[in-house]
Amino acid sequence: VSYSACGMPYNIADPGRDIDDLVVRKAAVFRKKQGIDLLTGHRADRIHPDARTVSGTTRQGEGFSIAYDRLLIATGASPILPDIPGVTLPGIMTLKSLDDGRKIKSYIARNRVKKAVILGMGYIGLEMCEALRTLDIDVAMVKPGTVFLPRMDRDLARVVQEEVEARGVRLYPGTGAREIRAEGDRLAVDCGEHVHMADMVLAAMGVRPNSREAAAAGISLGPRESIAVDKTLRTSIPDIYSAGDCADAVHVVTGEKTWIPLALRANRSGWAAADNICGGNTMLAGVAGTAVFKVFDLEVARTGLTIEEARRHGFEPASVTVETRSRAHSHPGASAIYAHLVGDGKTGRLLGAQLVGREGAAHRINAAAVALHAGMTVRAFSDTDLSYAPPFGPTWDPLLTAANQLLKKMG
């Protein structure tokens, strides 16, 4: 019931580690230490707002009904599977729950997997392609869309793509799977022009919010069918709250509702919902969509809007991409770091940032995220007093260099 989901790709890459090393707190601890009546093996099927009850079935098929004064819906999100023939065949995996990670790890060991196909090229897909290559498994990645990392600046996405391909991963954008067939003890992933043979297929095409039970109860939904909540995590029905990957949020840049399922927001919204269910009045700030992932030797980070998203939301955006160094020019071990900034030509406001590098990108993005939360202009951000020491960056931080160049474009 409590585990490090984000650590699963790295655990899978290490055959010597038990998947249960990722468990943070066992169910028994919640029951004994916190006194929570934790009912594992119970599936909630229906919410009855008028009766203030939740009903469902146990793993043994027995029905149950539980009354509530206040209800929290924290049903998370589920992996998306392609609607194609053969998607339920043995050897086709998803990675969301700890059980998923356990199945993948066991399947690789038991079947001596040598070739894998990953459906999708997002964060989880790229983290898993690294994990599989670490295990010396041949990897091909396919996706229907033609653009690799569409929410990254093209120059930065190209750096990531070159890193992935240099590690022997074969990328096939624009060739989504049409069918998966069992051919002997292997799987044939038919993409039309290409048929990829594999010992295992991983579906990593993103997730969708688990909002079906909420919608059936008459609760309003938000973007991408996430559960609509206000800043106190209340839904459209009194005394029902929602938090985590199933619920929406407000974007700090646009001021509009969005659905960005990330770990910090899920954790923070759980705390806030608990406060408010117990009579408090905790209000959450919005999200900036700050995200970072590692793929082989690269750190890839982003926050805020892309230039295309900025246009769609009515801004007059300008952007700049700079290539600079991760350390001072005189310090050994420096590598290239790429910084991309988006600003609004009308108001001067900073709208988004992206970073890619072999060091210094992951935590550096936090400065831009704070600037977005503060509503800073590009000029104000360019004047911030960021740290400097030769082992950690040039005198002018890459983000400051990018901000100064963006100011020139914005006039």
Side-chain angles (χ1 to χ4, degrees):
V1 295
S2 178
Y3 59 92
S4 174
C6 297
M8 287 193 290
Y10 310 104
N11 184 286
I12 290 168
D14 184 353
R17 286 181 62 195
D18 193 302
I19 196 75
D20 287 323
D21 287 351
L22 298 173
V23 173
V24 177
R25 193 179 302 177
K26 295 183 178 180
V29 176
F30 285 96
R31 295 185 182 110
K32 294 177 182 177
K33 188 176 180 180
Q34 273 78 38
I36 296 171
D37 187 13
L38 182 62
L39 303 176
T40 52
H42 288 61
R43 187 184 67 225
D45 297 320
R46 294 278 309 272
I47 301 167
H48 310 275
D50 292 340
R52 290 178 176 258
T53 61
V54 174
S55 62
T57 53
T58 67
R59 188 176 288 127
Q60 292 74 33
E62 299 173 353
F64 68 87
S65 179
I66 300 174
Y68 68 84
D69 296 311
R70 292 186 175 95
L71 176 68
L72 172 64
I73 304 172
T75 44
S78 292
I80 295 171
L81 285 170
D83 186 17
I84 58 173
V87 77
T88 59
L89 287 169
I92 299 175
M93 308 287 183
T94 59
L95 183 60
K96 186 66 172 69
S97 70
L98 195 66
D99 279 344
D100 291 336
R102 185 177 289 107
K103 288 175 185 175
I104 291 172
K105 198 160 189 175
S106 173
Y107 190 89
I108 289 172
R110 194 171 63 250
N111 294 277
R112 299 182 180 180
V113 171
K114 292 298 179 185
K115 289 183 178 292
V117 171
I118 298 176
L119 309 181
M121 298 181 191
Y123 299 169
I124 297 300
L126 289 169
E127 288 176 346
M128 277 302 296
C129 90
E130 177 185 348
L132 295 175
R133 290 299 294 136
T134 301
L135 296 171
D136 200 28
I137 296 172
D138 180 78
V139 178
M141 303 182 77
V142 303
K143 63 175 283 189
T146 58
V147 180
F148 180 77
L149 290 179
R151 297 193 70 205
M152 294 291 294
D153 170 68
R154 291 299 88 217
D155 290 334
L156 273 64
R158 191 175 303 113
V159 174
V160 180
Q161 182 171 348
E162 289 171 356
E163 172 77 4
V164 172
E165 291 178 330
R167 300 306 183 107
V169 179
R170 290 170 289 119
L171 302 177
Y172 298 90
T175 59
R178 300 180 182 179
E179 179 187 12
I180 302 175
R181 302 184 297 270
E183 295 190 1
D185 58 355
R186 307 189 74 196
L187 296 166
V189 182
D190 189 342
C191 298
E193 184 178 345
H194 300 278
V195 176
H196 305 279
M197 301 304 298
D199 303 306
M200 184 184 84
V201 175
L202 175 69
M205 301 171 63
V207 296
R208 59 169 57 95
N210 292 325
S211 59
R212 184 177 59 185
E213 288 78 12
I219 295 171
S220 298
L221 300 184
R224 297 175 63 183
E225 298 189 341
S226 57
I227 299 171
V229 295
D230 65 13
K231 290 184 178 181
T232 65
L233 288 310
R234 289 177 173 87
T235 70
S236 60
I237 293 182
D239 295 323
I240 297 182
Y241 297 73
S242 185
D245 287 353
C246 58
D248 69 6
V250 174
H251 201 290
V252 296
V253 178
T254 67
E256 299 176 11
K257 284 297 193 80
T258 187
W259 182 65
I260 305 176
L262 291 170
L264 178 58
R265 168 69 184 194
N267 202 297
R268 177 178 284 147
S269 63
W271 279 88
D275 287 346
N276 295 330
I277 285 168
C278 294
N281 189 34
T282 299
M283 299 183 70
L284 282 189
V287 297
T290 309
V292 60
F293 68 96
K294 174 184 176 292
V295 56
F296 298 104
D297 287 341
L298 285 182
E299 301 173 5
V300 185
R302 68 177 307 276
T303 189
L305 304 181
T306 66
I307 192 166
E308 293 83 6
E309 290 169 336
R311 287 195 189 101
R312 287 200 302 270
H313 286 282
F315 294 102
E316 297 177 6
S319 69
V320 70
T321 301
V322 300
E323 178 185 350
T324 180
R325 298 170 67 83
S326 63
R327 307 181 188 183
H329 78 280
S330 61
H331 199 85
S335 58
I337 187 166
Y338 301 83
H340 173 80
L341 291 184
V342 180
D344 182 25
K346 184 166 51 178
T347 64
R349 185 180 175 190
L350 181 67
L351 301 178
Q354 299 178 8
L355 289 159
V356 171
R358 298 190 182 278
E359 62 177 6
H363 288 96
R364 192 171 258 118
I365 198 68
N366 289 333
V370 171
L372 294 180
H373 276 271
M376 293 178 72
T377 63
V378 177
R379 181 166 297 281
F381 183 59
S382 74
D383 288 337
T384 53
D385 186 20
L386 302 186
S387 63
Y388 162 66
F392 306 115
T395 307
W396 285 88
D397 186 272
L399 285 173
L400 298 183
T401 299
N404 287 331
Q405 293 302 314
L406 183 55
L407 283 172
K408 296 176 183 178
K409 295 188 71 172
M410 293 169 63

